[in-house]
Amino acid sequence: MRKMKLLVAAAALAISASAASAQVKVGVIASSTGPISVVGLQQKNTVALLPKKIGKYTVDYIYIDDNSDPTQATKNVQKFLIEDKVDAIIGPSGSPNAVAVLPFIADAKTVMLAPVGTTAVVLPMDDKKKWVFKTTQNDNLVMDALVANMKTKGVKTVAFIGTNDPLGANFGKAFKAAIEPAGIKLVAEETFNRADTSVAGQSLKIMSASPDAVLVGAAGATTVLPEVTLVDQGYKGTIYQTHGAATPEFLKLGGKKVEGTILAASPMLVQSQIGDDVPSKASGQAYIDAYTKMYGVAPGTFGANVWDAGLLLERTIPIAGEKAAPGTPEFRAALRDALENVKNLTGAQGVYNMTPADHSGFDKRSIVTITVKDGNWLLLK
Amino acid sequence: MNLVIALFLAQDGIANGVVYALLAVAIVLLFSVTRITFVPQGEFVSFGALTFVTMQDGQRPGTLPLLGLLIILHLIADLVGGWRSQRVGSLIKSSLRSVAGAAIVLALAYAATSFQTPLLVKAVVAIAVISAAGPLLYRLVYQPLADASVLVLLIVSVALHFVMTGVALYIFGPSGQRSAPLIDITWPVMGVPVHGQTLLIIGVTVLVIGLLYFASQHTLYGKAMQAVALNRTGARLMGISTALAGRTSFLLAAFIGALSGVLISPTTTILYDTGFLLGLKGFVGAILGGLASYPLSALGAVLIGLLESYSSFFASTYKEVIVFSLVIPILLIQTLRQHRIKEDDDHGGEALPAQLDLSPEALQRRRQIKTGLSIAFVLAVAAAPLAFSEYTIALLNYVGLAAIVALGLVLLTGVAGLTSFAQAAYVGIGAYITGYFSSVYGISPWLTLPLALAVAFVLALLGSLITVRLSGHYLPLATLSLAIVAYYLFAGLEATGGQAGMSGIPALSIAGIPIQSPKEFYVGIWGALLLLQLGMSNLLDSRPGRAIRAVKSGTIMAESLGVNTWTMKIAAFVIACLRRRWPV
């Protein structure tokens, strides 16, 4: 009897060992609690929709919440790398959190698919960042689309107001780089804090420089205050927003005052209005359908950044699997090389063409120009 | 800048300033009656505003169950605290009486949220719910500590601030809210549109401050509260209940906070943590008014609003730096003016430590136990890398870093009796210096680390020369401002990489092998911790160390024994700051 038990145990061990070799482990970090949960909750929900079987491998997703805290994100990453020995990481949700975990990813030579906004995780590309791939549109694509719209409207002078944090600073930098070749002049540059209850001073400064247009560089609920203040003070020019404003919150809090705003964002935001000429239409619809089927509500664009991470893994894991077995450093290196060579992969928001210098891989097809009309998003053609 | 812009900015500054003024008045009220430096005053604003907006969305706000929870906790605290001293019957009766008001508010609020009600009713309900929570909060958090020192109360307040922000995030969620306006009219005055809402806020503020002033001068309750503010023991001897005074002042403070929240909710986006900065600016206003006079504090707060408005026009990146830099010179002037009056008051309530057994055998035994424990600790630290997995070691590294921080604070707060919130700023300075020279000039971190230590030493010395003159609760307030100033200054400056910060700082390496695995860090961090611990015990037993310890038990006593207080305070400050350099 005892021998029997041992035999069974040994057999079970052998089976699980062979199963382990045919299994790919992916660690997922999303902020389903804390301030970043505005973004993170959708991303966490999307984990259940990611492909569970890729080629001959079963994929095991290990999910941990980081409570929106960068220090917790670094602890989670260390757990994934040291204890679970994952083959890839998806996450975290917040830009500061992603920046904080960079050194650990690079030391462990494991890829991270980051669904975050900041370009700081992939640009400028260096030895550490080469392990990171970003599944969102780079700031410069958004700015190029906005500046293109400004040119058609004959905008000659422009002002920028951004949040006094890394996000706002990066928007400002990308915007300045985009307007220079277009010959548009920046006549005022202001900052404000997320917690400010009034931006009247900054708004007046902008008004006194009388620019043809103003760009607000912020994210989420914070985008509303500068725009509403400018409108209240009687600003008549066009107000532009980045994809940071592409949330239902912006429409709800801004109300009538944000009518006519122009922003550049993912085509998924106006999924029902885009034509078949947009390559990501079908993939975006597939994601929306899968999410709606499981949760009863349609997802925003943030969840799609995690969905796309799943598509990237689906393409690259079989390629890496030809070189080495999952769980080995060789597999992780092969996965990185495969990701860097992804060409023409259509995601929910655009088409990926990765290069050693560009680890985001999107081009201008991942951005559409949108306006606000009657309290809803309207695609500009 | 022309006249219209100047007027525009003035209007904005006053509109913000009066809200700060309301909060400043509440802060002064709390401080004078209960000696509590109430950091979370701004949290009442967020709670009030978000409760109001949630009701507008046709939902029942999470603050209602929260109030219910507070009532239950209050009853439990009463029963547990009083079951020995009172008869059960009268205990239950008195306890029920003290929560009766809150219970009625709760019942009415539940009723009001079950129907469609006009906007004004919603506003009243929101304010009532938050106001009712104020006295309960006092009973649960502060009443058990009523005789603690100002410093202890301040630290409890900081903790309560974090608790309240966390609760707000939990019940209201992370997204921003904005309310429908109460008055939607705009009048043009000299080309500047003046909003009805702004006038409403100003009117209400003047009314509230006027009423408070009148009540404190001319009513029996007001006079009783003033008596408590002037002399607690004396008031108690005259039959005035200090607990009742405390509860009343919390009722008023919560009312003022919730009222401000409801008033500003149509003019701006309210997030769960919006209140904190508002409250801090109220604080700066209150400090301008010497934390004593209602009208002066209100005036100070309006000045802060104006200063903020004009600086957001001229230098928006450095707005907070300008506002919070003001605090330090003002506190300094005030300390110099009322030199050391507060000193005895601060230490009045502290319990004496239990009498120690000082016989030679007992001393011998204690020394043996101490040595034994130390050896066991060192052995355990040394054995850990062998016994635990790499991930556990990585977590232990965070523990070690926290312990190093705690060592610095033990020296500063525990031993020398100083409180500093600016420690993080010194850590930042050290990190930036190491980072700057290592990444820009390619100098080895082994060389830049001592450089960072030296610069931090000089800065800490300079900083402490100014701040250490501040006694009592002024010091923590000044260091809190210093921390905020440092944060926004680093973020604004080009040399520190601005908001993006620095990257590409090379790792420390020994003989060309970079230190990067958790175990290598473990050796460094815990080795440093043990060395620091050893150094600190020796420091405390040395002559200056004994002098540092004396500073805590009363400046006047130590001074009369020939210890130069300043030198010692500065020494403690600098040593604590230096201690924080190593983990960088």
Side-chain angles (χ1 to χ4, degrees), chain A residues 31-43:
Chain A
S31 309
S32 57
T33 56
I36 310 175
S37 64
V38 178
V39 172
L41 200 57
Q42 287 176 14
Q43 299 186 335

Side-chain angles (χ1 to χ4, degrees), chain B residues 516-533:
Chain B
Q516 46 176 251
S517 85
K519 285 198 178 159
E520 287 154 6
F521 269 116
Y522 181 87
V523 174
I525 290 171
W526 285 85
L529 179 65
L530 291 178
L531 283 178
L532 287 172
Q533 174 66 47

Side-chain angles (χ1 to χ4, degrees), chain B residues 63-87:
Chain B
T63 31
L64 266 57
L66 185 68
L67 182 61
L69 183 70
L70 283 175
I71 292 174
I72 293 167
L73 287 176
H74 187 293
L75 290 175
I76 293 172
D78 277 355
L79 294 180
V80 170
W83 73 282
R84 247 187 254 266
S85 55
Q86 279 177 328
R87 277 217 318 279

Side-chain angles (χ1 to χ4, degrees), chain A residues 37-326:
Chain A
S37 64
V38 178
V39 172
L41 200 57
Q42 287 176 14
Q43 299 186 335
K44 183 215 157 196
N45 286 345
T46 305
V47 175
L49 309 172
L50 296 178
K52 288 175 192 62
K53 193 141 177 51
I54 296 177
K56 57 182 176 180
Y57 303 108
T58 53
V59 188
D60 182 18
Y61 296 97
I62 312 161
Y63 164 76
I64 326 182
D65 180 14
D66 67 2
N67 313 108
S68 305
D69 172 17
T71 311
Q72 187 58 44
T74 58
K75 288 181 192 169
N76 293 353
V77 160
Q78 290 183 71
K79 181 186 173 292
F80 283 153
L81 297 174
I82 300 169
E83 242 178 37
D84 300 323
K85 304 200 167 35
V86 296
D87 298 297
I89 290 176
I90 300 176
S93 307
S95 295
N97 306 28
V99 172
V101 303
L102 269 182
F104 297 98
I105 300 288
D107 284 349
K109 303 204 184 326
T110 304
V111 290
M112 175 167 86
L113 296 153
V116 298
T118 181
T119 43
V121 291
V122 288
L123 289 175
M125 185 46 68
D126 62 22
D127 235 23
K128 277 186 177 161
K129 294 174 187 169
K130 73 176 192 190
W131 293 93
V132 183
F133 295 86
K134 187 165 87 71
T135 58
T136 61
Q137 297 86 346
N138 276 351
D139 292 346
N140 63 326
L141 291 174
V142 174
M143 296 307 167
D144 286 344
L146 290 175
V147 169
N149 184 282
M150 286 175 187
K151 276 203 279 193
T152 62
K153 289 193 161 243
V155 170
K156 294 267 177 297
T157 54
V158 63
F160 175 77
I161 176 163
T163 39
N164 195 3
D165 57 19
L167 180 105
N170 280 334
F171 278 151
K173 228 186 277 169
F175 184 54
K176 275 184 264 184
I179 54 172
E180 208 181 324
I184 296 173
K185 220 178 121 211
L186 187 70
V187 290
E189 190 183 3
E190 295 294 310
T191 63
F192 70 108
N193 293 321
R194 197 182 74 94
D196 277 351
T197 51
S198 164
V199 291
Q202 291 93 325
S203 169
L204 278 172
K205 185 85 173 268
I206 288 173
M207 298 274 284
S208 60
S210 53
D212 298 334
V214 180
L215 172 68
V216 180
T222 320
T223 50
V224 180
L225 188 62
E227 177 156 359
V228 168
T229 309
L230 278 164
V231 171
D232 278 345
Q233 288 180 359
Y235 181 67
K236 294 282 180 271
T238 315
I239 299 178
Y240 288 84
Q241 291 272 5
T242 66
H243 51 322
T247 60
E249 240 180 344
F250 176 73
L251 295 177
K252 184 185 167 227
L253 297 173
K256 270 178 281 178
K257 289 180 177 159
V258 298
E259 284 284 305
T261 309
I262 292 175
L263 67 158
S266 150
M268 221 188 101
L269 193 65
V270 283
Q271 181 70 27
S272 62
Q273 300 169 31
I274 51 177
D276 293 330
D277 55 318
V278 177
S280 62
K281 185 176 180 184
S283 176
Q285 196 58 46
Y287 169 59
I288 293 175
D289 291 345
Y291 192 99
T292 315
K293 196 176 152 206
M294 188 170 259
Y295 299 103
V297 287
T301 55
F302 304 115
N305 302 330
V306 167
W307 169 265
D308 279 5
L311 297 180
L312 283 166
L313 288 178
E314 201 166 29
R315 164 83 66 97
T316 50
I317 282 176
I319 301 172
E322 283 168 14
K323 300 232 173 80

